[in-house]
Amino acid sequence: RDAADAQARACFARCVGGFCGGHISRPVAKFLARQCGKFARDALPCVRRAALDACLTLAAGLPKTLEDDDESHTFSREEFLHLLLASLIPIALQLATDASSEVRAAFARRAGALCHVFEKQRLVVADEARALLEDDDTNVRSAACEAIPRIAELSDEDVCEKLTAALTPVAAALASDESPECRASLAKTSGLLLQALGNDPDAALKAREGEDSVAPL
């Protein structure tokens, strides 16, 4: 019964973003944002992972579907949207340090998309992704490595320079990671990674070393 209840909660959480398919009122938008926070605190990882998807789909959908201004509203549409997105950001970020490696890996895989929908906070999201490159869990490190090109791709020149300084040494270090899965992830994304991070010479050398290290696999 507990497992079935958890699956039901996870299913509802994943469907939260579906409410953005049409015109959405402000009370409904606030309710859905609160549900994201509730599910992010759930006892089971599958529900918390679904809450991350809910944050992502809500943040992507609301700018297009939130109702227009009305004289009865205290805040303009733009102000309300800003406040609502600001409430979703910490919910998503807290899942980057979740106790479950399953949830942390889910955050890493979605880091690029999160940078896109939370554009003004993309450096914060990128910093969490950088930390996950050094995670204790192999799957988390692999997922974070594969997310980096997408994160950098979405950044303007100034932000990309900051990302390069922060991400290149950590990503390049995966070339000597004890896990063959992590080295394989680096090799698989090395071309995009180097292009996204400015073709750093030291990173290029280490990435090639990573490719050589997984060649026999």
Side-chain angles (χ1 to χ4, degrees):
R1 172 171 164 72
D2 289 343
D5 287 346
Q7 289 300 323
R9 294 197 302 277
C11 183
F12 178 81
R14 283 192 294 270
C15 290
V16 162
F19 289 96
C20 291
H23 202 62
I24 185 169
S25 68
R26 298 188 184 199
V28 170
K30 289 172 65 175
F31 168 77
L32 295 176
R34 286 196 299 269
Q35 292 304 300
C36 287
K38 174 183 176 181
F39 289 125
R41 298 187 299 272
D42 196 273
L44 295 179
C46 65
V47 181
R48 300 198 298 275
R49 190 179 70 240
L52 183 59
D53 287 330
C55 286
L56 189 55
T57 51
L58 268 182
L62 283 174
K64 303 174 184 176
T65 60
L66 184 67
E67 66 179 353
D68 293 329
D69 289 333
D70 186 282
E71 292 182 359
S72 63
H73 295 147
T74 304
F75 299 104
S76 69
R77 184 182 188 278
E78 183 177 351
E79 291 170 335
F80 182 85
L81 185 60
H82 172 78
L83 292 171
L84 203 63
L85 292 179
S87 73
L88 291 174
I89 291 170
I91 297 172
L93 290 177
Q94 78 181 51
L95 297 173
T97 55
D98 194 90
S100 166
S101 61
E102 172 189 336
V103 178
R104 298 196 305 277
F107 180 94
R109 284 191 291 271
R110 292 157 179 77
L114 289 166
C115 282
H116 178 65
V117 298
F118 297 124
E119 184 178 359
K120 295 182 179 179
Q121 295 294 324
R122 57 189 168 190
L123 278 176
V124 179
V125 175
D127 190 57
E128 294 292 352
R130 183 205 59 76
L132 293 176
L133 286 167
E134 301 175 302
D135 196 90
D136 292 335
D137 187 86
T138 297
N139 291 329
V140 177
R141 296 198 302 276
S142 295
C145 180
E146 295 180 17
I148 292 174
R150 177 63 173 159
I151 294 173
E153 177 188 24
L154 292 167
S155 304
D156 55 38
E157 185 175 348
D158 290 340
V159 172
C160 197
E161 288 182 4
K162 295 178 182 178
L163 288 175
T164 300
L167 295 175
T168 297
V170 185
L174 292 178
S176 56
D177 195 278
E178 63 182 16
S179 164
E181 288 83 2
C182 289
R183 299 198 304 273
S185 292
L186 178 63
K188 184 167 66 174
T189 60
S190 60
L192 291 173
L193 182 63
L194 297 176
Q195 182 179 6
L197 296 179
N199 295 308
D200 181 275
D202 292 333
L205 177 60
K206 291 183 178 181
R208 281 195 291 272
E209 291 172 352
E211 289 181 343
D212 293 340
S213 71
V214 298
L217 296 180

